[in-house]
Amino acid sequence: MFTHIHQWKPLRFPIKSLTFRLRSVSAAMITDDEDPTANSDSASLSNPTDPVRQILTCFTRKNDSSSHCFRTLVLKLNQLQVDKIIDNLGVENPDSAIEFFYLMRNEYGCRHSIASQFVIAHIFAGKRRFKELRSFLQEILQEEGSGSAPSLSELLWNRFGDWDSNGVVWDMLAFAYSRSEMVHDALFVLAKMKDLNLRPSILTYNSLLYNLRHTDIMWDVYDDIKANGIPRTDYTNSILIDGLCRQSLLQEAVSFLRFSDGKETRPSVASFNSLMSKFCKVGYLDVAKSFFCMMFKYGIPPDSYSYNILIHGLCVAGSMEEALEFTDDMERHGLEPDVVTYNILAKGFRFLGMMNGAWKIIHRMLLKGLNPDIATYTMLICGHCQAGNIEEGFKLREEMLSRGFQLNDISYTVLLSSLCKMGRVNEALSLLPEMESIGLKPDIFTYSILIHGLCKQGEVQKAIQLYNKMCLRKILPNSFAHSAILLGLSDKGTLSEARMFFDALTESELVEDIVLYNIMIYRYAKVGKISEAVQLYKQIIEKGISPSIVTFNSLLYGFCKRRKLTEARAWFDTIEAHGLLPSAITYTTLMNALCEEGNIFGMFEVLCKMEERAVEPTNVTYTVIIKGLCKQKRLQESLQLLEEMHAKGISPDEITYNTIIHCLCKVRNVRKAFQLYNEMLLRNIRPSPATYNVLINGLCVYGDLEDADRFFSSIQNQNVDLTKVAYTTLIKAHCAKGDVTKADMLFHQMVQKGFEISVRDYGAVINRLCKKNLTTKVKVFLRMMLSDGISLDKEISSVMLNAFHQVGDLNSEFELLAQVIKCGLFLD
């Protein structure tokens, strides 16, 4: 099994600890004529003035090691002498060797050699002080590090082969390497043990199996266990089953469970737990439950972990009722649900958006005398924030802090995200210092959320400052942060600023993100700069970046917006050449352009292609088709299409309804238009200001003006925000009818609402009053206009002068003429 390990080369040799040094001993203590390496052991020990002999005598006779005399002797020692003392004491008086070792290390700061440390290790092994031996070897490995197995093995082989406890030290060294997750070193030690005919313990094998359970090498270790005739434990088999589950080899795991039944060991609860956990994760809850039942058949009582696995699986599947039944069953079998159980249940309710259910679980937990932990609070904060109840999330935060808990990065990220979504970005920013004060470092996700929030608020410069701060902290920005700033600059700044930022990113060659290109291409297309958009597309191709369907949709939109339909069709035809398929947006964009051009036949041709490709139309697609039908006054077909949308579960929006309502008003079917309006309300589709404008205009032009007034008053009473168009439509209608009083009242209402009144608005009223020769009211509106600081224009001046002239009001005519000249206007 381990033959390939023999060829594994040491990372460094010889080991650094063979360079002996004693921190408290200086080189000056050794005289020039004395060579400490020249004396043999026997010569050293026969010399009564030799510090080695004196210290050995001291320890043999149990003299006071804290005396001044002893301290003087120690300060004369060099590293080789320390090793010699430990060597001798290790044979003659092992307890004294341990005492001297720790005395030198703790009191005199001696850094012992590996040889001395291995002497102590062998003493621990000989005295069966295995717990101390394990800790001692792990200390050595922490110092020596990964790759030290070859050198340590050579020392063990050459220096300690004749020690009775040598086999135990080899085994514990392999175990220590495995526990320290230095797996290659552990395998090397095992290979050396095989050469020396030393048999590792099952404890060592199990530790190594555990570390290798996610790889195929675990089978090599398992085969070696069998080859050495080492009895396997329940834990051995459970590690194998867990490893197979982790490698998603479920069939093999089940087979191994059946094979091991009735052999040396029986299946353990851990084996069943591993199988149940994996089957739950892959969605096979029924299989997991069958293993749960099988445990009872084998006489293996499930533990709390077994129940928690199934309860978690049921919660993830949304089967909360059954999860609660298993919790009750758990109690019936004498197992008390723990905090983990209640957290799983509460989290299940949270995933379903049922925070009331989550709180009931927490209340049940409190009644059991269990206190919420940080996982409980984190889950509740996440649940309330995701449900939009951020204030409750902050209350939980305060409760956590009052109970001595610190929020984790998940809680802070959720709170930050929720605040940003609500537009409370400054509050979100204030949480950053709080995070840092408790040792949590904001990561890429934290910064990206804040940058996106600032950009949405139009605070692009602040977002850039935060972006620069992130970069200074060596946190590499992601696509989300780049996209947020680029969108912010193009929305709130100028395209030139956005392009500068874009060029800085793409020219660095660190960022080759199609998303950034798509943003810029769309922005250029939107403002009609199609040549710049095409240039960026060429740059994508040159850099070897694959364009996405969004890239082509943006280009198509740009050409359609410029009414270049021939080029648009050409781009449409190139989509499939890049291995892409047109989406519903692609087809709808082209259909809308053809509809705007009046090419309804071409629009339906594209629709046929869309249906042939089995691309599902969206509500926007239907709205475009309805618009095309309405242009041809095919209202019945439009209404049928609206019904088809409802039948297919595609929800029309207010634009869909507005399109048909507008067409109905144009053909004087105002009654049917209001039926659709009422249908919108019944279907909880909120009418837009455009809906009200169309209906009011329909009543004014094709219906009854009194109905228009009543409808206008009713929506005012509902506190609906109307636009200026609704007011001006009614004002014009009343002026045309000659009801100046009502027009005057509406005009004043419009002013009081804070709408910006232009010369065009005054002109519309004055023009209609002049046609009715109502010059008295004309003069009232003229004074209002001038008092508002709105200057006359040629058109309105000519209309008023003609009206005054026709009624013979010469004074008013001359006064107005003087005002016109004063304004610098020259009339024909």
Side-chain angles (χ1 to χ4, degrees), residues 725-739:
V725 175
Y727 286 91
T728 55
T729 302
L730 272 174
I731 290 166
K732 291 172 187 176
H734 280 288
C735 287
K737 189 180 177 183
D739 189 352

Side-chain angles (χ1 to χ4, degrees), residues 185-200:
D185 290 271
L187 289 171
F188 186 90
V189 173
L190 286 181
K192 286 292 184 183
M193 289 178 73
K194 189 173 183 179
D195 291 341
L196 295 169
N197 293 320
L198 297 173
R199 199 167 78 159

Side-chain angles (χ1 to χ4, degrees), residues 702-721:
Y702 308 114
D704 190 312
L705 189 53
E706 289 183 6
D707 288 338
D709 286 332
R710 279 193 290 271
F711 180 62
F712 182 81
S713 298
S714 71
I715 54 181
Q716 274 189 318
N717 293 334
Q718 294 169 33
N719 295 319
V720 173
D721 289 328

Side-chain angles (χ1 to χ4, degrees), residues 29 58 73 93 98 143 212 289 334 388 414 433 460 480 483 495 500 531 543 573 575 618 621 623 709 790:
M29 292 181 183
C58 179
L73 287 171
N93 193 342
I98 295 170
E143 177 71 21
L212 293 168
K289 284 190 280 186
V414 170
V460 185
F480 188 63
S483 300
L495 260 180
M500 284 174 64
S531 58
K543 285 192 171 186
D573 293 335
I575 291 173
T618 65
T621 314
T623 303
D709 286 332
I790 298 171

Side-chain angles (χ1 to χ4, degrees), residues 315 318-321 324 345-362 379-380 383-384 386-387:
C315 288
S319 304
M320 295 307 302
E321 190 174 342
L324 291 169
L345 289 166
K347 194 174 182 181
F349 279 110
R350 195 262 289 183
F351 276 141
L352 295 174
M354 301 166 66
M355 287 307 296
N356 287 337
W359 274 112
K360 285 179 183 177
I361 294 297
I362 301 304
M379 180 272 303
L380 290 171
H384 282 297
Q386 285 167 3

Side-chain angles (χ1 to χ4, degrees), residues 191-379:
K192 286 292 184 183
M193 289 178 73
K194 189 173 183 179
D195 291 341
L196 295 169
N197 293 320
L198 297 173
R199 199 167 78 159
S201 66
I202 192 62
L203 185 73
T204 300
Y205 274 123
N206 283 347
S207 176
L208 198 54
L209 268 178
Y210 182 83
N211 283 325
L212 293 168
R213 69 194 189 283
H214 58 284
T215 70
D216 289 340
I217 304 175
M218 73 173 185
W219 287 114
D220 294 333
V221 178
Y222 185 72
D223 290 341
D224 207 57
I225 294 172
K226 291 194 294 183
N228 282 329
I230 298 171
R232 285 154 285 172
T233 64
D234 292 348
Y235 184 52
T236 312
N237 291 341
S238 69
I239 294 170
L240 261 294
I241 289 172
D242 183 53
L244 290 167
C245 290
R246 286 173 181 272
Q247 295 176 50
S248 298
L249 300 171
L250 291 176
Q251 191 61 48
E252 288 85 344
V254 174
S255 297
F256 186 84
L257 180 75
R258 289 173 178 165
F259 173 77
S260 61
D261 181 27
K263 304 291 180 182
E264 298 173 10
T265 61
R266 297 193 67 192
S268 66
V269 66
S271 298
F272 280 103
N273 287 347
S274 295
L275 285 164
M276 287 192 298
S277 178
K278 188 62 181 182
F279 276 110
C280 282
K281 282 178 183 176
V282 296
Y284 290 107
L285 267 173
D286 289 338
V287 179
K289 284 190 280 186
S290 70
F291 278 109
F292 184 81
C293 296
M294 197 184 294
M295 291 174 74
F296 290 100
K297 179 184 172 183
Y298 277 99
I300 301 169
D303 58 13
S304 297
Y305 188 56
S306 311
Y307 277 99
N308 285 345
I309 287 167
L310 278 180
I311 290 167
H312 180 265
L314 290 163
C315 288
V316 170
S319 304
M320 295 307 302
E321 190 174 342
E322 195 175 354
L324 291 169
E325 286 174 6
F326 263 94
T327 309
D328 295 336
D329 185 69
M330 186 177 182
E331 293 186 72
R332 282 195 296 270
H333 282 85
L335 293 171
E336 284 295 326
D338 54 13
V339 175
V340 175
T341 314
Y342 289 113
N343 283 348
I344 290 168
L345 289 166
K347 194 174 182 181
F349 279 110
R350 195 262 289 183
F351 276 141
L352 295 174
M354 301 166 66
M355 287 307 296
N356 287 337
W359 274 112
K360 285 179 183 177
I361 294 297
I362 301 304
H363 182 66
R364 184 172 163 180
M365 180 175 77
L366 294 171
L367 289 175
K368 292 281 186 179
L370 298 171
N371 290 320
D373 60 9
I374 191 166
T376 316
Y377 280 109
T378 303
M379 180 272 303

Side-chain angles (χ1 to χ4, degrees), residues 489-509:
L489 286 170
S490 55
D491 284 339
K492 303 296 180 182
T494 63
L495 260 180
S496 59
E497 287 179 301
R499 184 58 190 263
M500 284 174 64
F501 180 72
F502 172 81
D503 288 340
L505 291 173
T506 54
E507 286 171 8
S508 67
E509 295 184 358

